[in-house]
Amino acid sequence: MVRVKAAIVKQKSGPFVVEEIRLDDPRDDEILVHVHATGVCHTDFGVRDQNYPVPLPAVLGHEGAGIVEKVGANITKVVPGDPVILTYASCGRCGNCHQGLPGFCDDFYAHNLAGCRLDGSSTLSGAAGEKISGCFFGQSSFADRAIVTERNVVKVPKDVPLDLMGPLGCGIQTGAGAVINTLRPRPGASIAIFGAGAVGLAAIMAARIVGCSPIIAVDIKDNRLALAEELGATHVLDGAAVDAVEEIRVLTDGGALYSLECTSLPTVFRQAVECLRIPGVCGLIGAAALGTEVTFEMASILFGRTVRGIMQGDCVPDVFVPQLIDLWRRGVFPFDKLIEFYDFDDINQAVHASESGAVIKPVIRTGRK
Ligand SMILES: NC(=O)c1ccc[n+]([C@@H]2O[C@H](COP(=O)([O-])OP(=O)(O)OC[C@H]3O[C@@H](n4cnc5c(N)ncnc54)[C@H](O)[C@@H]3O)[C@@H](O)[C@H]2O)c1
Ligand SMILES: [Zn+2]
Ligand SMILES: [Zn+2]
């Protein structure tokens, strides 16, 4: 048992409270990681607001980066001292995991959103021994230490700035993978990306890498549209000021071949389908609250359009994250432009900056070196 500094959500939609709590020692199949930095993602807010029912109190955080401190007896993938990033967890045994689609793991919920290990125990407890949900995305990295497994730890090179790397484990790999792994557009194919947050901007950078044209970004915030243009969008549209569907049809001579929904808003999802040429493909990434419904005119899909849900960019993190790091080193995937750092005690400021749209990807430095 070790003492850790962690940010705890105690009640629905409540603040993140930084406190010292207890973390188990790693079991034989677990790894203890010193978390140096951890990204803030919209999915953290969705769970704070109980759109996904992880039991509270809970420690969230799922884009950690740090150094391996201790490994269980059965661990062979990493050794103490290895720099790693933390990503989502999966079983590694089901059909989808075997086929390279761990984002669609049969046991995704149990591994990422149950708040405990598979045997029901939590890795975390309060100062008086009370239960606190842990294992969020197999990590709960809003803490200066985390327990993870071989399935959701990815080794990174020793010469990269580790504090920048955590967001590769969720938002960034999701947006980039949606283009590179899921949609796989040919060079010259048109794409419209709705929502220029961390996910959408990663998709825009990836669309530029694969040679999409035009690359149309839709958002309602000027600062995000400006960054979208800098990172590769050939056209930007203010979704609050213009009819985005009409504008996209004009810019693409009848409709985009591909679109991505990265806002989680049903009305925008509908636009992302309606802006498509026939037969175009819309990738749905935005994670709306469970129970959210959307309406379409059936004929808008009947004539050959496809809607595809995408989890974590269809990537195998051990393969894809190193590729993204290479692209970043070559200067063609500058995801660091999305990041602003915050001290751990300022986590609520980071959350506010993300929710207000002022900052695209806040990263919390835990202060641990
Ligand atoms: N499927 C997955 O595996 C996965 C992984 C990571 C994140 N997500 C989800 O993806 C979504 C995006 O995440 P993010 O971190 O980029 O969030 P974000 O809040 O940074 O980005 C959302 C963007 O949508 C814009 N927006 C709001 N209303 C709009 C409108 N009417 N038209 C166009 N744009 C509008 C916002 O201004 C913002 O820039 C979230 O729902 C998140 O939970 C899904
Ligand atoms: Zn996320
Ligand atoms: Zn699985």
Side-chain angles (χ1 to χ4, degrees):
M1 188 85 76
V2 287
R3 295 161 80 87
V4 294
K5 184 174 171 182
I8 307 152
V9 174
K10 299 194 174 187
Q11 74 251 3
K12 182 179 172 182
S13 304
F16 290 79
V17 182
V18 178
E19 272 177 17
E20 223 174 63
I21 57 172
R22 300 186 209 166
L23 179 69
D24 274 3
D25 289 320
R27 294 181 177 176
D28 286 351
D29 58 347
E30 292 177 339
I31 301 161
L32 177 67
V33 175
H34 255 176
V35 178
H36 286 201
T38 178
V40 173
C41 170
H42 256 248
T43 307
D44 295 308
F45 312 148
V47 173
R48 173 202 61 191
D49 298 340
Q50 296 285 279
N51 295 342
Y52 296 86
V54 176
L56 300 178
V59 174
L60 308 178
H62 59 286
E63 296 184 354
I67 302 280
V68 173
E69 184 183 353
K70 200 170 173 186
V71 297
N74 300 339
I75 300 295
T76 55
K77 185 176 180 181
V78 291
V79 296
D82 280 345
V84 292
I85 67 136
L86 313 180
T87 185
Y88 67 100
S90 55
C91 80
R93 289 183 297 272
C94 72
N96 287 337
C97 280
H98 280 307
Q99 292 192 62
L101 290 171
F104 297 130
C105 174
D106 287 355
D107 275 333
F108 190 90
Y109 186 89
H111 283 274
N112 293 283
L113 295 162
C116 56
R117 298 181 178 101
L118 293 187
D119 69 1
S121 66
S122 179
T123 50
L124 294 167
S125 51
E130 67 277 21
K131 188 171 172 177
I132 295 176
S133 289
C135 304
F136 183 60
F137 279 72
Q139 54 182 282
S140 289
S141 57
F142 286 161
D144 60 11
R145 281 173 169 146
I147 284 181
V148 300
T149 70
E150 288 192 338
R151 288 291 303 167
N152 70 322
V153 77
V154 179
K155 264 206 262 192
V156 296
K158 287 205 156 87
D159 64 340
V160 294
L162 190 54
D163 288 5
L164 281 178
M165 297 293 139
L168 290 173
C170 179
I172 305 295
Q173 75 180 1
T174 294
V179 175
I180 293 172
N181 302 324
T182 313
L183 298 181
R184 300 179 181 220
R186 293 199 182 129
S190 50
I191 188 165
I193 292 164
F194 288 79
V199 172
L201 290 167
I204 288 167
M205 288 185 272
R208 179 169 66 177
I209 289 167
V210 304
C212 287
S213 182
I215 301 169
I216 304 165
V218 187
D219 204 290
I220 53 171
K221 295 226 152 68
D222 288 346
N223 59 338
R224 298 192 171 212
L225 290 174
L227 192 54
E229 216 160 11
E230 185 186 332
L231 295 176
T234 58
H235 303 78
V236 295
L237 300 174
D238 179 346
V242 300
D243 180 341
V245 171
E246 248 343 282
E247 296 286 327
I248 290 165
R249 285 190 186 140
V250 171
L251 289 168
T252 55
D253 202 17
L257 275 170
Y258 297 97
S259 66
L260 281 175
E261 197 306 300
C262 313
T263 72
S264 80
L265 301 170
T267 49
V268 176
F269 182 20
R270 182 173 175 146
Q271 291 178 328
V273 171
E274 290 183 343
C275 77
L276 290 174
R277 155 185 309 278
I278 291 173
V281 183
C282 169
L284 170 63
I285 299 177
L290 293 177
T292 303
E293 298 197 349
V294 60
T295 56
F296 293 108
E297 187 184 334
M298 284 172 71
S300 75
I301 297 177
L302 178 69
F303 289 97
R305 291 181 174 127
T306 300
V307 173
R308 162 73 141 84
I310 302 173
M311 287 298 294
Q312 298 290 332
D314 284 355
C315 73
V316 176
D318 281 317
V319 176
F320 197 55
V321 168
Q323 290 172 347
L324 292 178
I325 292 174
D326 276 351
L327 292 167
W328 172 77
R329 281 192 209 267
R330 285 172 41 203
V332 294
F333 190 68
F335 72 94
D336 52 300
K337 291 199 172 162
L338 316 187
I339 290 176
E340 267 187 44
F341 290 107
Y342 286 81
D343 290 340
F344 203 170
D345 291 327
D346 298 331
I347 185 169
N348 289 300
Q349 274 168 253
V351 168
H352 178 69
S354 172
E355 289 192 296
S356 71
V359 171
I360 291 168
K361 176 56 74 178
V363 170
I364 310 295
R365 281 189 168 125
T366 63
R368 190 171 280 278
K369 287 289 168 211

